[in-house]
Amino acid sequence: MTDSIRFTKGHGTENDFVILDDPDGALDLEPQAVIALTDRRAGIGGDGVIRAVRTRAAGIDAPEDAPEWFMDYRNADGSIAEMCGNGVRVLAAHLLRAGYVHDDGFAVWTRAGLRSVDVLERPETDGAPWSVRIGMGRSTSIRGERTVEIAGQALPVTDVDMGNPHAVAFLPEGTALEQLDLTHRPSLDPEPPADANIELVVERGPRHVAMRVFERGVGETRSCGTGIAATAVAAALRAGDTSAEPWTVDVPGGRLQVGWTADGEVTLTGPAVLVADGVTLV
């Protein structure tokens, strides 16, 4: 990276990111720079870094008809992630606020492919939330071939692929979600070859669940967009719900809605907040 660069800090239900504005692909974003930027004591702090870069300048393989903008997402440990649902919403707010895009409906490219954006509400003042719906792509799920060890129990897992891997487990009735110890990663058996984000879920009511998540490359976060989508997919499968009616998912950082389009694409709707602009010397 250069000696100094402008950044924006934003979050989606308190899943927070450092956004680096790099439209022409000039940055050499090394893992150690990501680690320094996301350090909550010695850096800006965040669950990850988003490099806002034009797809043609990003140095990636992309189809000729790919959208103009690419979300180059890095976990807090410097590793590359395929997708981030909260991150797409925050990136969308940044691109609109910066004047790079102007329409409330557009698309961005990610390592998991195209993700559509629909801005449902723009804020009237800086620092207020945007309301954004993201097309998350189609999901694939496999139930019952893996377990997760949590609170002394081996719980069955539903593997859900939302462009990145998730292991979703429902807690037994009476288990207090808020009291689980997620300071360390729960173990999966068998361990997936590319690791996985782990979601632990309880029922709250009809089409309503709550979850906590341990994200690979980060640890526990206040929210995870792809994990929320994966949780709703697993919850609908578990309930035998094929209605395509939306599900509500509560996370420590807020509440989001997951729906399905007529052709089966998963959608994620929730807030995006841009909280600060500045210059970093990292």
Side-chain angles (χ1 to χ4, degrees), residues 97-174:
R97 177 171 170 264
Y100 289 126
V101 297
H102 303 282
D103 296 333
D104 286 342
F106 60 99
V108 297
W109 190 250
T110 75
R111 290 185 174 87
L114 184 145
R115 294 295 183 261
S116 62
V117 173
D118 288 299
V119 176
L120 306 180
E121 184 178 349
R122 297 193 186 204
E124 295 183 359
T125 59
D126 286 343
W130 302 63
S131 177
V132 185
R133 180 175 59 228
I134 301 297
M136 301 285 287
R138 293 175 178 271
S139 66
T140 59
S141 58
I142 301 173
R143 184 165 53 183
E145 296 186 359
R146 199 182 310 279
T147 60
V148 61
E149 184 75 21
I150 189 74
Q153 304 176 80
L155 303 178
V157 157
T158 299
D159 288 336
V160 181
D161 188 331
M162 289 302 313
N164 59 351
H166 294 268
V168 183
F170 289 82
L171 299 176
E173 187 174 350

Side-chain angles (χ1 to χ4, degrees), residues 221-232:
T221 58
R222 300 279 293 170
S223 180
C224 171
T226 54
I228 290 161
T231 292

Side-chain angles (χ1 to χ4, degrees), residues 1-7 20-22 25-30 33 36-37 51 279-282:
M1 289 179 61
T2 57
D3 291 337
S4 64
I5 184 170
R6 295 197 61 80
F7 72 90
L20 300 178
D21 208 20
D22 186 31
L27 290 180
D28 184 12
L29 191 55
E30 297 293 335
L37 286 167
R51 184 171 67 117
V279 176
T280 175
L281 304 180
V282 174

Side-chain angles (χ1 to χ4, degrees), residues 43-94:
I44 299 167
D47 293 325
V49 169
I50 298 171
R51 184 171 67 117
V53 58
R54 289 189 172 91
T55 305
R56 296 289 166 239
I60 59 165
D61 290 329
E64 288 296 323
D65 60 350
E68 180 181 6
W69 291 94
F70 172 65
M71 182 182 72
D72 182 9
Y73 184 70
R74 315 295 177 99
N75 294 314
D77 68 352
S79 61
I80 292 173
E82 300 90 344
M83 235 296 279
C84 177
N86 289 325
V88 173
R89 295 201 317 279
V90 173
L91 173 63
H94 170 72

